[in-house]
């Protein structure tokens, strides 16, 4: 495994758009160490740049104090839900004489339009390992697992080397860094299913079972992998823990300044027809405008029609919503979710119905099939959208789509996959009903015009891919 030089150039190059001159330890805890050429940071360099200082501090602390620091820092889950990491960690401590359990890193990253965890794992794998040691200590875990999306071959390679380096240096295994705490990490590559990102489906998959979500309660904090207390956190969430430990909760919370009540920075990104798609580490609560400006605005010939703030399972927003602070609570007030914080922009020249059809086909294909509204409803939804996209929608189809969105909404299915699919559907119809109406009317009234419009949007879609 270690035949590959630790700092060999990656096939996949960094899409971080901030140069080394802009990134500072005081302001960019996730990315300040990264190289401009995107090459991987090995253990020696990571340690020279204060690597594992946060873990060493945490290992000398009582787990309850580590949890308290995470709560005060207000690190909210970067996997999309925004749940407080400190509160989640405190839930493994409820009850007497609980057995030691597991710390699981959710590295499935299959949310459409999301590519932030990939960069962290490929280029700075030791930051994640350090975050997992801190989480493992706080949760009294005996073992850590990284559940990695199967297609992330480069990340697998980078993590495997880093785990080996950490073991050889005594940072993993028995008596981590002489602290008396035993902790090891195993890398588990998945087979590429979106539902494996849902934390309880992930646990089933880890146990070798079919990846169906589990009923909650019990929550993983009480009974997770192999029935033991288990914490599941996103890659970016865990990567924030070292800085909280090293610099303190107040320092971390203050990174977002007046922009947000949430603490720290966030990896924001943009994909679609912009001039400079990529990633930026910015204070959480940075506005959409600021992020779009960094992405160089829309490409020539394109104007912004709508955007998804954080992946395919978030709701469409309008150009005026770019002025919002992109944090969990603010975006939630406008019928969407911050999700992963990676914006997908849609040009006026793209077919919104076509884009939505594509998304819903993805959600239909990735349904685990456990509950009927999701298993059958999503395929039906995609079929209706396909008809509308081709100008063959029937009167009543829009109302039917709205009914579908309601039937798969929160609380009506076994897990959040179907409500995630409902969000872009419901919001697209709410904001752009005319686009859907055009697909119904055209066949009956304007057959020729439909073909002409189709050629223009097909060209725009081609540009994106
Ligand atoms: C269908 C579905 C897919 C998900 N995929 C991911 C994923 O790829 N990565 C992730 O971190 N969280 C994903 N989540 C959220 C996880 O269930 C869980 O909330 C998250 O890993 C918790 O980590 P956090 O608190 O650090 O955000 C997904 C949720 C659902 C319903
Ligand atoms: S909502 Fe969909 S993915 Fe979730 S349990 Fe039901 S069928 Fe499976």
């Amino acid at each position: 495994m270690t035949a590959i030089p630790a700092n060999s150039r990656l096939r996949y190059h960094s899409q971080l758009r901030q140069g080394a001159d802009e990134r500072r330890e005081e302001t960019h805890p996730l990315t300040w160490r990264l190289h401009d050429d995107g090459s991987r940071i090995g253990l020696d360099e990571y340690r020279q740049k204060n690597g594992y200082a946060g873990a060493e501090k945490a290992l000398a602390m009582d787990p309850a104090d580590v949890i308290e620091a995470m709560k005060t820092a207000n690190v909210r889950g970067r996997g999309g839900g925004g749940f407080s990491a400190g509160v989640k960690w405190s839930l493994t401590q409820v009850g007497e004489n609980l057995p030691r359990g597991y710390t699981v890193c959710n590295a499935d990253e299959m949310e459409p339009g999301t590519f932030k965890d990939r960069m962290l794992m490929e280029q700075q794998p030791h930051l994640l390992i350090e975050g997992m040691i801190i989480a493992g200590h706080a949760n009294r875990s005996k073992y850590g697992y990284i559940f990695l999306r199967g297609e992330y071959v480069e990340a697998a390679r980078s993590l495997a080397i880093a785990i080996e380096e950490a073991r050889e240096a005594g940072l993993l295994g028995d008596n981590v860094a002489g602290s008396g705490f035993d902790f090891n990490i195993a890398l588990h590559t998945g087979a590429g299913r979106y539902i494996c990102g849902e934390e309880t489906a992930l646990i089933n998959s880890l146990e070798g079972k079919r990846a169906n979500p589990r009923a909650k309660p019990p929550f993983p904090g009480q009974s997770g992998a192999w029935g033991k207390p288990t914490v599941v956190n996103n890659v970016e969430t865990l990567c924030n823990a070292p800085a909280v430990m090293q610099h303190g909760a107040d320092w971390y919370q203050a990174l977002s300044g007046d922009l947000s009540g949430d603490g720290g920075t966030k990896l924001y990104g943009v994909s679609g027809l912009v001039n400079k798609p990529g990633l930026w580490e910015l204070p959480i609560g940075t506005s959409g405008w600021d992020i779009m400006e960094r992405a160089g605005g829309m490409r020539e010939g394109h104007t912004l029609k709508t955007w998804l703030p954080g992946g395919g399972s978030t709701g469409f927003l309008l150009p005026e919503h770019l002025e919002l602070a992109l944090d969990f609570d603010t975006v939630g007030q406008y019928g969407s979710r911050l999700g992963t914080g990676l914006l997908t922009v849609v040009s006026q020249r793209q077919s919104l119905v076509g884009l939505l059809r594509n998304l819903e086909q993805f959600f239909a294909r990735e349904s685990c099939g456990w509950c009927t509204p999701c298993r059958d409803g999503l395929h039906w939804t995609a079929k209706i959208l396909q008809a509308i996209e081709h100008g063959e929608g029937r009167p009543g189809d829009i109302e039917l789509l709205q009914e579908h969105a309601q039937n798969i909404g929160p609380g009506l299915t076994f897990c959040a996959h179907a409500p995630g699919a409902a969000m872009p559907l419901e919001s697209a119809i709410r904001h752009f009903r005319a686009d859907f109406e055009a697909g119904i009317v055209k066949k009956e009234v304007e057959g020729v015009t439909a073909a002409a419009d189709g050629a223009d949007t097909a060209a725009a879609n081609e540009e994106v891919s």
Side-chain angles (χ1 to χ4, degrees):
M1 190 76 233
T2 35
I4 306 154
N7 242 357
S8 67
R9 243 183 111 83
L10 295 168
R11 285 192 300 274
Y12 162 75
H13 297 293
S14 170
Q15 291 176 292
L16 194 75
R17 291 281 183 180
Q18 292 160 308
D21 49 340
E22 196 187 332
R23 291 178 277 114
R24 302 257 176 280
E25 183 176 6
E26 307 82 58
T27 47
H28 294 74
L30 297 173
T31 60
W32 70 275
R33 297 181 185 90
L34 296 184
H35 302 151
D36 279 348
D37 68 0
S39 54
R40 181 182 171 278
I41 295 172
L43 180 61
D44 289 345
E45 183 184 351
Y46 186 70
R47 293 192 93 165
Q48 276 158 21
K49 295 179 173 171
N50 293 335
Y52 290 100
E56 278 166 23
K57 218 166 153 185
L59 289 170
M61 289 163 68
D62 188 84
D65 294 333
V66 175
I67 290 171
E68 212 41 50
M70 289 294 281
K71 280 189 194 167
T72 309
N74 203 6
V75 183
R76 296 184 65 174
R78 307 299 202 236
F83 191 74
S84 157
V87 172
K88 183 183 282 190
W89 293 8
S90 70
L91 299 176
T92 59
Q93 311 289 318
V94 179
E96 292 294 311
N97 303 319
L98 275 170
R100 287 183 63 192
Y102 302 98
T103 290
V104 178
C105 169
N106 190 341
D108 199 48
E109 195 164 73
M110 272 188 71
E111 185 64 33
T114 301
F115 45 92
K116 64 184 179 69
D117 299 342
R118 174 181 184 168
M119 185 201 65
L120 290 171
M121 293 185 287
E122 288 180 345
Q123 296 178 30
Q124 200 177 200
H126 283 287
L127 184 66
L128 176 58
I129 294 172
E130 185 178 2
M132 286 188 73
I133 294 171
I134 295 166
H137 169 62
N139 292 286
R140 297 189 168 91
S141 303
K142 69 173 176 189
Y143 223 89
Y145 287 97
I146 301 173
F147 190 103
L148 180 67
R149 174 177 176 174
E151 292 93 336
Y152 278 8
V153 177
E154 200 68 55
R157 195 172 77 123
S158 176
L159 283 166
I161 296 169
I163 290 170
E164 202 48 49
E165 284 175 333
R167 262 191 213 129
E168 279 169 16
L171 294 161
L172 287 175
D174 291 345
N175 192 18
V176 171
S179 64
F181 171 61
D182 303 337
F183 187 69
N184 226 317
I185 293 179
L187 179 63
H188 178 102
T189 48
R193 297 311 307 222
Y194 180 64
I195 196 59
C196 287
E198 197 282 336
E199 59 183 8
T200 59
L202 183 156
I203 289 170
N204 267 344
S205 179
L206 203 56
E207 289 184 7
K209 298 176 183 150
R210 182 177 160 170
N212 286 339
R214 293 180 177 177
K216 297 186 220 174
F219 290 91
Q222 275 81 54
S223 176
W226 294 281
K228 302 284 185 349
T230 302
V231 140
V232 182
N233 272 129
N234 171 258
V235 173
E236 188 187 350
T237 313
L238 290 163
C239 285
N240 277 295
V244 175
M245 290 303 126
Q246 195 193 339
H247 301 289
D250 294 335
W251 173 89
Y252 178 87
Q253 164 71 59
L255 286 173
S256 56
D258 299 335
L259 296 174
S260 172
D262 298 349
T265 58
K266 173 85 193 77
L267 279 175
Y268 289 105
V270 186
S271 61
L273 290 165
V274 287
N275 286 305
K276 289 186 287 177
L279 287 165
W280 295 264
E281 183 182 5
L282 299 167
I284 194 160
T286 297
S287 76
W289 279 126
D290 192 335
I291 296 162
M292 276 298 280
E293 212 171 284
R294 285 165 188 272
M298 298 296 288
R299 279 196 217 163
E300 202 179 331
H302 293 277
T303 47
L304 180 66
K305 177 188 179 90
T306 182
W307 55 289
L308 293 164
S313 62
T314 59
F316 285 101
L317 291 169
L318 300 173
E320 58 259 37
H321 292 130
L322 284 173
E323 71 185 27
L324 298 176
L326 297 190
D327 67 15
F328 291 100
D329 294 340
T330 310
V331 180
Q333 287 162 18
Y334 290 83
S336 188
R337 299 188 305 124
L338 177 63
T340 60
L342 275 84
L343 284 56
T344 305
V345 303
V346 184
S347 154
Q348 288 285 1
R349 288 175 52 206
Q350 286 177 270
S351 161
L352 177 68
V353 176
L355 190 142
L356 184 65
R357 185 265 309 146
N358 190 315
L359 268 183
E360 297 301 333
Q361 272 178 343
F362 167 80
F363 288 125
R365 197 177 59 233
E366 297 298 330
S367 164
C368 84
W370 203 240
C371 30
T372 313
C374 176
R375 183 187 58 234
D376 294 347
L378 288 178
H379 281 287
W380 191 4
T381 300
K383 267 189 174 175
I384 298 170
L385 287 169
Q386 193 159 20
I388 296 177
E389 182 188 2
H390 293 111
E392 293 167 2
R394 289 178 306 191
D397 274 356
I398 298 174
E399 291 70 24
L400 194 54
L401 286 174
Q402 285 175 313
E403 203 182 310
H404 280 202
Q406 267 178 7
N407 289 343
I408 56 172
L412 298 172
T413 55
F414 205 63
C415 86
H417 175 81
M423 218 172 207
L425 176 67
E426 180 280 324
S427 54
I429 299 174
R430 177 161 41 88
H431 291 308
F432 302 104
R433 195 181 176 98
D435 290 35
F436 295 81
E437 283 166 350
I440 292 168
V441 174
K442 270 179 186 163
K443 188 181 179 197
E444 292 162 12
V445 186
E446 308 167 20
V448 180
T449 329
D453 284 358
D456 189 44
T457 51
N461 289 336
E462 187 65 22
E463 240 183 285
V464 179
S465 59

